[in-house]
Every structure is written in C-alpha cells, then in structure tokens.
Amino acid sequence: MQVIDWDLAVTTGTRLVRPGPQVSREEARQAVTELRTLSREAEGHVRQFTKIHTEAAPRPATIVDRPGWIRANVEGFRVVLEPLTQRMGNSENQPPAIVSAVGSRITGVEVGAVLAFLASRVLGQYELFLPPDPTGQEPAGRLTLVAPNIVHAEREMGVNPHDFRLWVCLHEETHRVQFTGVPWLREYVRSQMTEFLLASDLDLPTLLERLRSAADTVADVVRGGEGNLIDAIQSPGQKEILDRLTAVMTLVEGHGDYVMDAVGPSVVPSVAEIRSKFAQRREGGSRLDRTVRRLLGIEVKMKQYAEGSAFVRTVVDRVGMDGFNKVWTSPETLPTTPEIADPTAWISRVIGTPALPA
C-alpha cells in the first residue's frame, strides 16, 4: 500500500518551488566550488573545537539547487516512513484500492507543496536517512548545502559572501561531526522516529478526528493562534515520544548554533554582523510566511536553536567541553526537555555537582 505518491510529491514540489536568485554560470560555479572547499575547512575547525573524534574520513558537502533538495528529502522521507508503510500494507482493515490511490495522490501533492515552501528557505542539512546504495548498504549520512538559498541570503543581508558561507558550513558540519562521531546517535533518532510513526492510530474514525483537529488548528493559526499541525495530529502515545525527539533535536541544533558562534570569531571576521542580520532575518517575512512557518512548527525549531544553544553554553561554562561531551555517552545521558531549560539539573544528574570554574 502506497501512503504517499512520492513521484507526484517531487513533481509538485519542483513545479511550485520559486526560482533561485539570478546568477551567471561563472558565479554559480564559483559558489559551488567555494562551498565544497569551505565545508572541508569547517569540519576541521569543528572537530578541533568540539573534541568529538570520528573515524569517518572528511568528505566535501553535496551542493544542490532547490529541486535537488526536494528530491533528496523525498528519498529521505521514503526511508523514514517505510515502517509505517509496511504496517499499513499488512493491515487487515485496508481501504478500497481507489480510496488508497486517491489518498496517496492528495498526500503527495500536500508533501510536495510543503517541500516547495521549505526548499527556498533551507540553507543546508545533514541527511540522516538515505536510500540504499547499489550494494544494498544504507549510507551513513550526507551533508547537503543549498547553494541558491545561501547566495540569496547573503545578498539579501548584504554580508561578506565568503564569511557567510563559512559560517553556515560551521553549523552544518557540526551535525556531520555529531552523527559520525557519536556512533549510537543516528540509530537512536531513527528508532524514536519509527516508534513515533508506529504509535499512530490507524483506524478511520480516529484519523478523521485528527483531520478535524488539524483543520481547527489551521483556522486558529490563521487567526493568530499558537498551534501547529504536528501537535494537532499526534496520538497521546506519540506526545511522549515526540518529547524525547524534541529534546535530542534541540540539543543537536543548539550545539550547532553554539559551535558556529564560538568558532566564528577566530575564522569569520564579520561574524558579529552576520549573526545580528541573520537573527533579524529569521524573525522577518510576510504574514503569510509567518503563518505557514507556525503551522509547520518552524517557529518551534527557531526556539530550539535558542534554548539548545543556551543549554550548551551554560554547561560548557560550568564544566568545560570535556564535561559537556558526556552528553554523548548514551541515550541515558541526553538531556530531557526540562533539563534543557535547567542545565544545572542535567549537570547534577550526569556529572554530579561540579565546582564552579575559577
């Protein structure tokens, strides 16, 4: 049973996505070349600063345009949703074939529209979940940078292109170092996501109730409310799992922001200007843009950066980088959501009560 028409999602997304900034062929070539070089440079800075050792050999980032980012994310979604697809395919209470076909096409259009919206905003990402290679092995991960969006952002803010590109690479390379240097982290995130999906209620009455809740959420957000679709469609069992997922993603995103800003002053001369203008840019946008971001939970992600970065900064200030790195020991040493808001509680639980630095 196909839950989502993935080909239609790609077609819809690439049709709806806005074109990137106008650049000459030489400007495009130069941007791609520089981003690849800076991703390698940034990885060295990140490894040295974070003290996270990884056996993985450094690799340049994969540079894509907006349609390329959409295609890559559809591939990732297929991998992530495979357990749910298999479960639904084995279910005895399957809807008629025509219902499944129509439903998968509607969902495909919806997924494509969401990806089209995001594809013009994402600067880069570390792709955790990739389809198997020709040998049948699933790759460990891939760092992707969206060149048109980086060029658009640096032009819009009027910042130094070389500095901004290195600054972005510092954040994204931190994610590569996290997931290649902490062997259990990727599988932990995958297992939580699978558990989240399989905890969904698949009976028709419950799904209809969730859809009505989602419709109410859309109306509320348009009127200025604070809800988002992710919260609206969860089952009670999923809320607990999502809390764990939110905590770990807040940690990794905040760690990325912390490293980016901590390393920045020594290698990015205009980092203060970039950070100031980028913070203003994150808060901007039209009312429609802000409404869609809130619906998709993107506003929550922005909050994650700030809360996660504050957690990392406080812990490093109190116990140093080696003390903070105990967070990567096992799933049990990850901070809970309350501990992210109260770093002292995490320090007390995981490290014991440390002496304050002199």
Side-chain angles (χ1 to χ4, degrees), residues 285-317:
S286 66
R287 170 163 184 170
L288 174 61
D289 185 75
R290 291 194 298 272
T291 298
V292 174
R293 279 165 30 193
R294 195 177 304 121
L295 268 175
L296 298 177
I298 297 173
E299 297 297 324
V300 176
K301 186 177 176 68
M302 297 300 102
K303 187 179 178 184
Q304 284 181 335
Y305 287 123
E307 292 182 347
S309 181
F311 171 83
V312 177
R313 186 179 304 107
T314 300
V315 174
V316 173
D317 287 346

Side-chain angles (χ1 to χ4, degrees), residues 6 8 24 35 41 60 67 80 95 101 159 243 256 289 304 313 335 345 357:
W6 297 111
L8 185 57
S24 67
L35 285 169
E41 178 185 334
V80 169
V159 295
D243 193 56
D289 185 75
Q304 284 181 335
R313 186 179 304 107

